[in-house]
Every structure is written in C-alpha cells, then in structure tokens.
Amino acid sequence: MTTLNISIPESMQEFVNQQIASGNYNNASEYILHLIYRDQQQTTELETMLLEGINSGQPIEVTESWWEQKRSALVEKLSD
C-alpha cells in the first residue's frame, strides 16, 4: 500500500475525528478508504446504468410534451 498525504481544513479534520470517535472507523485512513471505495462503487453502478440505457432499445425524442406526460404519470402514481 502507498502513502498519500493531504491537507484539509480544520473543520473537515474535526468531522473525520467525529467519524472515528463514533466507532465506525479505527483511524482516518480507514475512513478515507471507505469513502473512496464507496465512490468507486457508485461510479461502477452509474456506468452500468448508462450502458443499460444505451442498450435498452430504440432511442426516442424527448420533448417538452414527453416530459409533461411523465410528470403527469408520476403525479397520478403518487396520488394513488
């Protein structure tokens, strides 16, 4: 494993210390590693969703009318 030194504002350092004090992390490195891992997972999930969208069928033209139909359907669904 390599070492990475960063500078952060004192308020962020206090937040990191709070995360450690909560008992969820043993040290700052563990907390930062968790954040990076979570970001990597979210990036992978987003890429997967984008590829699914690209491969989902024929493209359609998204117009204001299309959005209005989607909004109306959502409002109707939420009011049920």
Side-chain angles (χ1 to χ4, degrees), residues 7-74:
S7 297
I8 60 175
E10 188 174 323
S11 61
M12 286 186 174
Q13 179 63 54
E14 290 171 9
F15 182 79
V16 171
N17 291 341
Q18 290 171 357
Q19 298 305 305
I20 296 164
S22 73
N24 294 324
Y25 306 97
N26 293 318
N27 53 49
S29 291
E30 192 174 291
Y31 177 65
I32 300 300
L33 285 170
H34 172 79
L35 294 177
I36 294 170
Y37 175 76
R38 190 174 68 191
D39 192 47
Q40 286 176 325
Q41 292 299 98
Q42 290 173 344
T43 299
T44 299
E45 290 171 13
L46 178 59
E47 289 172 350
T48 298
M49 288 188 291
L50 289 170
L51 288 173
E52 286 175 2
I54 289 170
N55 297 320
S56 67
Q58 292 297 316
I60 61 169
E61 182 177 354
V62 177
T63 63
E64 186 59 39
S65 173
W66 182 89
W67 278 116
E68 188 54 43
Q69 289 173 354
K70 293 297 179 185
R71 284 185 202 103
S72 296
L74 179 59

Side-chain angles (χ1 to χ4, degrees), residues 1-4 29-30 33:
M1 200 175 290
T2 63
T3 300
L4 173 67
S29 291
E30 192 174 291
L33 285 170

